[in-house]
Amino acid sequence: MSQELVLNLLAALSIGFLGSSHCLVMCGGIASALQLSMPQLTFLQQLKLQLMLSLGRLTTYSFLGALTGAFGAAVLVKLGISLFWLKLLAGVLLLLMALYVARLWFALTLLEKLGALVWRQIQPIAKSLLPLDSSAKAVAYGLSWGFLPCGLVYSSLGWSLASGSALQGAVLMFAFGMGTLPAMLAVGRFAQSLSRFKNKQWVRVSAALLLALYALYTIAIAIAPRVF
């Protein structure tokens, strides 16, 4: 495994975690509602269903990452579009993510509006799976949930687009999804505490700065071969 890939995986994991305060806003209500839709089960049984939900969601993220990675590696390159432009796009999207987390500019909401067109087609299927009274239903709902419009997911997919292969694109999105797990599995009082912590100004600014630094690093990696 190359040093660049290891760094990218660690960054994807960190971005998923740092950006998951947005996930708590977008998906926290869904996660809580889904927990209420589960039958009267023990804590461990409910936790199992929550994990099955996350398994489905991360599977969709990985699939989308593989799809965009393969698209970037095969189709765009064959069309004569250099990976330079793909890496530059990934860096710009990461920079937009940093501005989004810092609540300075919400350009990523435009991507969410486009994704809403797809979600409208999938949402009725997801609703038909309720109540979540089995692992199979939970995984299936999670697969649908992965298509929920989210600017952070879309900007990460731009990163997968420049990964160079379907496998690396899938692994990057899986690492991103793993970073969101603590926020998605947190419910009740712990979720509220986590949300309050991540919404503190110094936490948001620190997260945005780290994201911006990695975005600039990605852009520099793209530009360096052309400069030197």
Side-chain angles (χ1 to χ4, degrees), residues 35-51:
Q35 188 181 35
L36 291 174
S37 78
M38 295 176 185
Q40 296 299 316
L41 302 175
T42 65
F43 171 77
L44 290 178
Q45 288 172 325
Q46 287 200 6
L47 179 60
K48 177 185 175 182
L49 290 180
Q50 290 283 6
L51 289 172

Side-chain angles (χ1 to χ4, degrees), residues 5 65-74 83 159-172:
L5 179 57
L67 202 62
T68 53
F71 185 77
L83 280 176
W159 198 9
S160 294
L161 187 69
S163 65
S165 73
L167 179 60
Q168 289 195 34
V171 171
L172 281 173

Side-chain angles (χ1 to χ4, degrees), residues 5 20 22 31 38-39 42 44 49 65 74 80 92 97 100 109 156 171 188 200 211 224 227:
L5 179 57
S20 59
H22 173 72
M38 295 176 185
T42 65
L44 290 178
L49 290 180
V92 170
M97 188 192 295
Y100 192 76
T109 54
S156 297
V171 171
K200 290 182 181 295
L211 289 172
V227 175

Side-chain angles (χ1 to χ4, degrees), residues 121-200:
Q121 306 303 314
I122 297 174
Q123 191 175 24
I125 301 174
K127 284 185 176 180
S128 70
L129 296 168
L130 300 175
L132 300 181
D133 51 11
S134 70
S135 294
K137 279 188 175 183
V139 171
Y141 194 99
L143 289 170
S144 302
W145 190 358
F147 289 98
L148 185 74
C150 177
L152 296 178
V153 172
Y154 298 151
S155 56
S156 297
L157 284 174
W159 198 9
S160 294
L161 187 69
S163 65
S165 73
L167 179 60
Q168 289 195 34
V171 171
L172 281 173
M173 286 306 296
F174 181 80
F176 166 82
M178 287 295 292
T180 67
L181 271 184
M184 292 298 95
L185 293 178
V187 293
R189 184 176 300 176
F190 181 68
Q192 293 172 7
S193 299
L194 183 60
S195 181
R196 282 196 298 269
F197 171 75
K198 289 191 174 186
N199 280 312
K200 290 182 181 295

Side-chain angles (χ1 to χ4, degrees), residues 14-68:
S14 301
I15 287 170
F17 179 75
L18 293 172
S20 59
S21 56
H22 173 72
C23 295
L24 285 171
V25 175
M26 287 288 294
C27 307
I30 293 178
S32 299
L34 288 177
Q35 188 181 35
L36 291 174
S37 78
M38 295 176 185
Q40 296 299 316
L41 302 175
T42 65
F43 171 77
L44 290 178
Q45 288 172 325
Q46 287 200 6
L47 179 60
K48 177 185 175 182
L49 290 180
Q50 290 283 6
L51 289 172
M52 292 299 102
L53 274 169
S54 293
L55 174 62
R57 184 170 57 87
L58 266 63
T59 298
T60 295
Y61 288 171
S62 300
F63 168 75
L64 293 175
L67 202 62
T68 53

